[in-house]
Amino acid sequence: MQKQRLYNLLVFLLLTLLSASGQLKSGDLIFVVEGEGAFSKAISATTAMKDSLKFVHVGIVEIVDQEPYVIEASPEEGVREVSLMQFLNESKNGYLVKRLSIDFPIEQTIRRAKSHLGEDYDWWYLPDNGKMYCSELVYESYLTPDGKRIFKSNPMNFRDGNGEMPQFWVELFERIGSEVPEGLPGTNPNDLSKDELLIDVE
């Protein structure tokens, strides 16, 4: 536990230095690597490629008076904005920051993301239902001036590499009384992280 806190502190200091120097910017995306929880494992089992970094969460960076914050769709609290330190403390895993490689109206993107603050987390993983999951928030926030989404959606997959449905998903959709949205258009942090419009922030 102490080692993890030290790691998070070092990451926080690094990202804070990047933000102070202008290297971490509003609109950057911060991807979180797989952790030990059942939810995290279920996401990585069904969306990550073998032998690749397994991303299970993503948030949108906002810099306010040189202080870094993250807008995210949190499974615990829904869409919210928290300090980078809180984001890191709650995630407790590795991180990767990516940035758009094209000029883009980031102020409008941040406003659009913040317009969803207070919405519930979307455990149904369905579009246009007044709820948001993490990569859906990104997908819906990064729009061109004429309203087109810049990131792609793909048919969603909830099965692991062996074609089996992880128990987490089975129990979740039974509990909420909903069909698994297998094959419906959607997004996930792993696909998003590989988008050709994004580059690593070093």
Side-chain angles (χ1 to χ4, degrees):
M1 183 68 73
Q2 187 172 359
K3 190 179 292 185
Q4 184 64 57
R5 286 201 195 99
L6 179 59
Y7 171 79
N8 280 355
L9 178 59
L10 290 173
V11 173
F12 172 76
L13 290 173
L14 173 61
L15 294 181
T16 302
L17 286 171
L18 286 173
S19 66
S21 66
Q23 289 177 272
L24 187 65
K25 298 180 179 179
S26 290
D28 287 349
L29 297 176
I30 181 166
F31 291 86
V32 179
V33 177
E34 174 191 11
E36 293 302 317
F39 182 37
S40 180
K41 294 289 186 187
I43 294 173
S44 66
T46 56
T47 65
M49 298 291 290
K50 186 178 180 181
D51 299 326
S52 68
L53 274 177
K54 298 174 173 63
F55 297 114
V56 297
H57 187 54
V58 60
I60 303 168
V61 174
E62 182 183 25
I63 307 298
V64 180
D65 297 328
Q66 295 191 332
E67 293 293 328
Y69 293 84
V70 180
I71 307 164
E72 61 168 345
S74 159
E76 294 79 18
E77 297 186 20
V79 183
R80 62 180 186 171
E81 184 166 24
V82 296
S83 69
L84 179 62
M85 176 62 93
Q86 181 176 341
F87 181 84
L88 297 182
N89 283 338
E90 292 180 359
S91 299
K92 298 184 175 64
N93 304 311
Y95 310 90
L96 181 67
V97 179
K98 288 184 172 263
R99 175 177 298 153
L100 283 175
S101 59
I102 57 173
D103 289 332
F104 201 73
I106 294 300
E107 287 186 10
Q108 292 92 319
T109 296
I110 295 295
R111 282 201 298 271
R112 200 173 291 115
K114 293 174 83 166
S115 73
H116 295 285
L117 291 174
E119 292 182 7
D120 291 337
Y121 186 82
D122 187 6
W123 292 107
W124 289 258
Y125 297 95
L126 295 172
D128 305 319
N129 62 351
K131 308 175 194 302
M132 284 282 166
Y133 57 91
C134 67
S135 55
E136 182 184 20
L137 179 63
V138 174
Y139 178 72
E140 295 291 350
S141 298
Y142 287 74
L143 307 182
T144 63
D146 59 356
K148 294 179 181 176
R149 299 175 180 88
I150 68 167
F151 295 120
K152 304 177 185 71
S153 65
N154 295 297
M156 287 191 290
N157 172 58
F158 289 83
R159 297 184 181 276
D160 63 21
N162 297 318
E164 300 293 326
M165 186 76 65
Q167 193 63 24
F168 179 90
W169 297 128
V170 173
E171 293 177 359
L172 169 67
F173 288 104
E174 283 182 355
R175 187 166 63 251
I176 64 177
S178 178
E179 295 284 333
V180 179
E182 182 82 11
L184 293 183
T187 64
N188 66 71
N190 278 295
D191 285 351
L192 184 60
S193 71
K194 296 176 177 64
D195 195 282
E196 60 189 9
L197 292 177
L198 295 175
I199 57 174
D200 293 354
V201 175
E202 300 177 353

